[in-house]
Amino acid sequence: MPAPGRTRGQADRGTPRRERAAHRERTQPREPPTGRHDAGQGVTFVTVAGEGQVPVEKLLGRPPRRPRWSSGWRAALRWRDWSLPVKLSAVTIVPIVLALVLGITAIAGQVSRSSDYQRIDRLVGLSTQLRALTDGLQRERTQTAAQLIAGTSGVTPELKSARAATDAAVAPFTEAAARVGADGSSVSGAVNSATAQVNEIAVIRQQVGAGLLNAAEAVGDYNAVTSALIGADTAVSAGASADALGSTPSALHDLEAAKEQVSVTQSLVGYGISAGTLTPQQLSDVRDAELRFDDRVADFNAAATAPQRLDFESTIKPDTSYDRKRMLGTVLGGQGISTDDALKRTSAQEWNTASNAVTSQLTEVSGRMSTDLTAASSQLVEDAGSSAGLLAVLLFAALAAAAAVVFVIARQLLRSLKILRRSALDVAEKDLPEAVRNIQEGRAQSVEVEPVPVQVQDEVGEVARAFEKVHSQALKLATEQAAMRAGYSSVFVNLSRRSQSLVQRQLQLIERLERDEEDADQLATLFQLDHLATRMRRNNENLMVLSGAEPGRRSGQPVATHDVLRAAVSEIEQYQRVSVQHPPAVKIVGFAASDVQRLIAELLDNATAFSAPETQVTVATRLAEDGSLNVDILDKGIGMNEYEVVEANGRLTDSGSVDLATSRRMGLFVVGRLAGRHRIGVSLHGGKDIVGVRATVVVPPELVMTGLAAVPGDRAEPGQLPGPQAS
């Protein structure tokens, strides 16, 4: 042991480790090791005299083991290495859990929907009480105006009955408003404002009884209360709108608002009949009320259902509505009579009878609609509550059935899948590659395939049969493609070389005839034949491009850009329409000049073919800063939309293989092949911002020779055949 005040390192410093260990063995008694197990780390520690807590793995010379929880998480995260039964279990468990979550969410949504329907039911109840209170106030307003007009003292029986109906509707309205306000609805503000106005009814009655108000002033005060109630009904109708209820709340509100305008008009015109005149403001109020009545009826027809409109049309009597409209039109000066004369000639009894009849008919329609709306709202609440319970029962029943079905089918399904997987791997890794290799190398290969050993008749069996068909079709397709590709090149090369030889001989004959011909007309005809033969030579060279062979025409000398463009123009049918602007004084290297010429000729052919005969095709060239040559071919034809431009540029880029679409777009295919030989950039531009199509050809700098003298010639005008052709 070290002396007091010295550490272990100080006491043993300078003594070799083995000697210190032997010294401790000789001088200290041997103590049995004591140990402990750390379950959290998965490691067992042993206490050794002089060493403290030492892992067992260290004493045994083994590396420490990883904790079990760490290895378990690593295996769980490597889901790609799971066995097929584990994966199938995961595949079945995940949908079940997801269905459970979705089912619980659906139940919660149904419960929430039930709460929403309960809120809508409370709003429908409040709307019913609002209409009842509004009806009572409308009758009270009419009777109050009638009593003030007649100058009767006290309270008439009609007014007393109207006030009693109003008082009977106040308490239910207050209770319904309190229920709606308790759940923090957004209509609380409008309802509170209406409640405050309802409290003013007693003040209005006191002023009427004390003779402080005339008929017009009383109508105005009652209008303030009914307007607040109508505003609250507007908010309530908007809040009560639901998919199941449709637009019935809005239609009912429009009907109530129309009835309010009828009541206001009745009171004002009744006052005017009694006084013999109406002030300009009162007359304006009458006119505005009638306009709002017509608008509300139109809104009702727009929002109501077909049965509701039919009920409205059958209830509102045409003769009653016509009498009211006729008298009101007379008062408003509709027949050339002044308002005062019309009021004096109008009978108050007839006016009140017609107005009351219209109000009664509107009340009858709104009453039936209100009854239907209340019943529909209550049914919604009941259905939503029962649906939530039914969903819960169905969810757990479906989960139990799904678990049972998965348990029964899993074993058989796993077995069939293992067989199918093994067979598919054999075909993909051995059979099919070997067969394709035989076909490509010309050895005999049978298209018959061995059946997959899955004899079940379920979907797995159908997949096995489908895999057999796919295997067989793959072998047939490989055989056909090999034969087709082998014949393409030879056919194209033979046809093009034979035709090219004939065309070349024809060109030589035409040139000899041109040298010997002195007649201008005959010479022009020979020029046309020369032009047609040149076009035929271009078509033959296109066949060579399709076959993948190199063309026969190659030049070792650089060719001026001006000559390349003129030669390209001469190889198209409508060369007269092409206008070649003055090109820069550069040349194209000899091995690429003929390909650039044919490429531009194909683009010019497309430009003239897809544009009107009276339009021109412009060829503009410019030398870019990086030394590349840009050639723009612009036409004013039918143009291309964005999708067609993308498709055409895709064909220009991907022109490696010949397919059936090549025959329909051979020009684009040839352009792509020629551009790919020399890394020439070709792109088409079109769309709504460009008239016609603009084709841009970018010749890379390594193919362009700059620093040359100016090229003679200026510009090929339309209708003029370009100069000497490149041969």
Side-chain angles (χ1 to χ4, degrees), residues 429-441:
E429 296 176 358
K430 295 186 300 183
D431 298 341
L432 189 57
E434 183 179 357
V436 172
R437 189 162 48 250
N438 291 337
I439 293 173
Q440 291 177 347
E441 295 176 0

Side-chain angles (χ1 to χ4, degrees), residues 436-451:
V436 172
R437 189 162 48 250
N438 291 337
I439 293 173
Q440 291 177 347
E441 295 176 0
R443 294 193 296 268
Q445 174 62 40
S446 174
V447 296
E448 297 295 331
V449 298
E450 295 183 1

Side-chain angles (χ1 to χ4, degrees), residues 201-252:
I201 296 176
V203 178
I204 298 174
R205 291 175 179 176
Q206 291 177 359
Q207 292 177 349
V208 170
L212 300 178
L213 300 175
N214 58 25
E217 293 172 343
V219 168
D221 290 344
Y222 276 108
N223 287 347
V225 181
T226 55
S227 297
L229 294 176
I230 293 296
D233 189 60
T234 301
V236 170
S237 299
S241 297
D243 294 339
L245 296 178
S247 58
T248 299
S250 298
L252 193 55

Side-chain angles (χ1 to χ4, degrees), residues 107 114 201 339 364 374 382 415 423 441 493 515 537-539 576 606 614 617 628 641 659 675 680 702:
I107 293 173
S114 177
I201 296 176
T339 300
E364 182 180 352
T374 302
E382 182 179 354
R415 183 179 179 183
S423 301
E441 295 176 0
V493 170
R515 286 194 301 268
R537 182 177 60 185
R538 179 167 61 88
N539 290 334
Q576 302 92 341
N606 284 343
E614 66 274 6
V617 176
S628 61
N641 56 37
D659 54 14
I680 300 174
E702 58 269 19

